[in-house]
Amino acid sequence: MVQTLDYLKETASQTAGPYVHIGLTPNFTGIHGVYDRDLGSGPLYNDKTRGERITIKGRVIDGTGTPLRDALVEIWQADTDGFYNSPSETRGKADPNFLGWGRCPANMDSGEFTFETIKPGRVPFREKDPRLMAPHVTLWIVARGINIGLNTRMYFSDEAEANAEDPILKTIEHRVRVPTLIGQRDGDVVSFDIHLQGEKETIFFDI
Amino acid sequence: MSRNERPETGAFYARDRAWQPPALTPLYKTSVLRSPQKALLSLDGTKSEITGPVFGHNMLNELDNDLIVNYAKPGEMAIGERILVHGRVLDERGRGVAGALVEFWQANAGGRYRHKKETYLAPLDPNFGGFGRSITDEDGYYWFKTIKPGPYPWMNWVNDWRPAHIHFSVFGHGFAQRLITQMYFEGDPLIWKCPIVKTIPDEEAIRQLIAPLDMNSTIPMDMRAYKFDIVLRGRRSTFFENRKEGN
């Protein structure tokens, strides 16, 4: 016998279920008076936040083409200079007026989610690989029927040059799938539909 | 500065996808149309996954972790079995995760959720909202008071009933640690019949979701206790990460 490695195992994930709103966005489902406001709701910026204001709109779509009306999406992104507001950010101090995180339930009729945020700056790939990634927003999707949260990224259609040299986009073998990660920018609005399965299936990451 | 207060910047251990539930689990019907059919693309943590938001204790209201009273009218309480649920948020290295936001939600004692789309005939409890939150202390410890939720029927197969459960949502220190799960109660015979529980392929992984009765932590003449530890992904040492000669 050898020694045991003695690591714990990660707690197994379970679906967020159809009533995820009770816990994570109670005011959205009409339960008022406990939390002043739902965590992560409203614009991610305030008057002092630096950077270009944008709105991200999208839907999470199932294998029949039907939008999920009970999905919940969270985003995590860098500030306008490419710094994350996190203790694990080692390169510098992020904009103190930008948390970089938001949470939005899908609209119960249309299935649309919306984030009012800023366009993120470019972030280096790794400590030892300072190539810059193209501007991107990290998304995490949970819902009834999703057993473990799905991770994806949204890049920007107006960043063709940066996208072309992005160390992740560049290495995607099936080039035909790359557009599933590109949010389509029109004025201040960036549209990003997430397809859970089928021909247009979004690329999801094991991060 | 203690070890827990020193920010860590290493990448996370790879997630064990044979331990975690797969996306497609047809006995849980809704997963059929909501599961990706293509393989996940592997992405060893970049800054975007290693980092994550941190929430301060100052965001909490005094009653956020007392579901017995946080929605109740003044002087009243929710009806049901009074319980304390407590435990630690750890990582795979066994270290407490300090400052982790833990959010939880559940049905009332009769299995009824307070939600617009809920149609189960069991009545609402006017004094029970069914949700709360806490932030772990420096050792990774959290606790909340609530009533034990009832089992709940759902439209999956004709006669499916969820075991009593409490939903948990946890933030660690990196967005890659983000986790939603469910806690079950020791001894509930519905656990091993549930298609959602059985999305998890490994029995040991299921047992890790079952909170034991914890008589040491009961409050005599007041409430029983259940202990539920949550394990988030561990992370590689930054010492090795930064070493010039590599790992």
Side-chain angles (χ1 to χ4, degrees):
Chain A
M1 284 293 282
V2 298
Q3 294 184 8
T4 56
L5 275 172
D6 224 18
Y7 290 111
L8 303 176
K9 291 295 285 186
E10 186 188 14
T11 297
S13 170
Q14 291 267 265
T15 180
Y19 307 130
V20 59
H21 314 104
I22 296 174
L24 303 192
T25 56
N27 289 291
F28 171 81
T29 192
I31 317 175
H32 301 289
V34 181
Y35 300 159
D36 300 338
R37 55 185 281 271
D38 291 338
L39 194 62
S41 66
L44 274 71
Y45 51 74
N46 62 34
D47 293 347
K48 292 183 200 146
T49 308
R50 290 179 290 109
E52 182 188 0
R53 270 64 175 155
I54 57 167
T55 301
I56 300 171
K57 279 182 187 298
R59 297 167 302 167
V60 183
I61 298 168
D62 77 10
T64 69
T66 307
L68 273 57
R69 294 173 301 169
D70 53 12
L72 181 110
V73 180
E74 291 183 3
I75 62 170
W76 172 241
Q77 64 165 89
D79 71 7
T80 188
D81 297 319
F83 292 108
Y84 282 102
N85 195 335
S86 164
S88 301
E89 174 60 85
T90 50
R91 297 163 300 133
K93 192 120 183 65
D95 183 344
N97 288 297
F98 188 66
L99 175 62
W101 174 82
R103 173 185 278 170
C104 185
N107 180 287
M108 285 190 194
D109 297 313
S110 66
E112 190 167 77
F113 63 82
T114 307
F115 292 98
E116 291 174 74
T117 183
I118 58 146
K119 187 171 174 185
R122 298 181 73 174
V123 178
F125 187 36
R126 297 218 170 88
E127 301 265 314
K128 293 180 205 160
D129 185 345
R131 281 182 296 163
L132 293 175
M133 297 189 277
H136 65 276
V137 171
T138 300
L139 296 95
W140 186 72
I141 301 120
V142 292
R144 174 173 68 105
I146 296 177
N147 291 325
I148 183 164
L150 295 166
N151 292 99
T152 189
R153 284 183 174 202
M154 186 195 85
Y155 290 83
F156 294 82
S157 62
D158 58 336
E159 291 284 348
E161 213 172 295
N163 291 342
E165 59 183 38
D166 181 84
I168 292 161
L169 292 179
K170 241 167 67 172
T171 55
I172 294 172
E173 179 186 355
H174 298 100
R175 303 307 299 166
V176 66
R177 300 193 68 202
V178 173
T180 70
L181 297 180
I182 313 291
Q184 294 303 313
R185 179 150 186 182
D186 183 7
D188 298 334
V189 177
V190 189
S191 301
F192 188 63
D193 280 350
I194 296 157
H195 294 266
L196 295 178
Q197 62 173 231
E199 232 171 274
K200 290 187 271 186
E201 186 173 309
T202 300
I203 293 180
F204 297 105
F205 294 93
D206 181 31
I207 62 174
Chain B
M1 209 193 244
S2 82
R3 188 171 60 189
N4 271 331
E5 287 167 294
R6 193 166 56 223
E8 293 189 291
T9 56
F12 291 95
Y13 299 162
R15 194 164 243 162
D16 184 349
R17 292 280 174 177
W19 175 263
Q20 291 290 347
L24 176 62
T25 49
L27 290 177
Y28 173 28
K29 290 185 186 177
T30 317
S31 76
V32 173
L33 286 168
R34 295 183 172 197
S35 45
Q37 294 164 327
K38 296 173 176 66
L40 300 178
L41 188 68
S42 297
L43 175 56
D44 187 22
T46 73
K47 272 281 179 249
S48 308
E49 292 77 32
I50 291 167
T51 55
V54 170
F55 303 93
H57 286 82
N58 58 1
M59 68 171 267
L60 300 177
N61 307 307
E62 199 188 336
L63 297 178
D64 278 2
N65 65 342
D66 190 342
L67 282 63
I68 296 173
V69 294
N70 73 2
Y71 189 77
K73 290 186 264 306
E76 300 193 16
M77 291 184 197
I79 289 174
E81 298 178 41
R82 297 162 60 81
I83 57 170
L84 172 77
V85 177
H86 73 124
R88 290 177 75 203
V89 178
L90 305 159
D91 74 9
E92 288 170 295
R93 298 168 299 182
R95 297 182 185 177
V97 181
L101 174 65
V102 183
E103 297 164 283
F104 24 84
W105 67 101
Q106 63 170 90
N108 69 22
R112 174 70 187 264
Y113 283 97
R114 185 174 289 281
H115 191 277
K116 284 175 185 165
K117 294 204 171 170
E118 153 75 281
T119 55
Y120 183 32
L121 52 79
L124 283 169
D125 178 342
N127 289 312
F128 189 68
F131 59 94
R133 59 189 175 188
S134 177
I135 293 178
T136 57
D137 70 13
E138 61 273 20
D139 298 317
Y141 186 74
Y142 76 91
W143 60 269
F144 61 97
K145 295 176 177 179
T146 188
I147 53 97
K148 192 177 173 195
Y152 168 81
W154 58 302
M155 293 295 281
N156 190 54
W157 303 98
V158 171
N159 193 21
D160 275 340
W161 290 74
R162 295 304 322 284
H165 64 279
I166 300 177
H167 297 264
F168 279 74
S169 165
V170 191
F171 287 81
H173 295 163
F175 208 51
Q177 283 178 309
R178 196 75 184 81
L179 182 74
I180 279 185
T181 188
Q182 301 182 27
M183 178 198 113
Y184 303 99
F185 292 84
E186 180 181 9
D188 186 342
L190 288 169
I191 293 171
W192 302 99
K193 299 181 190 301
C194 176
I196 288 180
V197 172
K198 292 200 283 195
T199 60
I200 301 169
D202 192 309
E203 250 186 52
E204 268 313 299
I206 292 174
R207 289 183 204 286
Q208 200 177 326
L209 299 186
I210 305 174
L213 177 66
D214 176 7
M215 290 304 286
N216 286 346
S217 301
T218 61
I219 307 173
M221 303 306 288
D222 184 347
M223 52 177 58
R224 284 172 295 135
Y226 285 87
K227 185 162 185 289
F228 186 58
D229 288 343
I230 299 164
V231 181
L232 303 179
R233 298 165 66 180
R235 65 197 311 175
R236 295 202 285 267
S237 161
T238 48
F239 173 72
F240 291 113
E241 195 69 14
N242 293 329
R243 238 160 63 171
K244 285 214 170 67
E245 62 271 32
N247 289 334

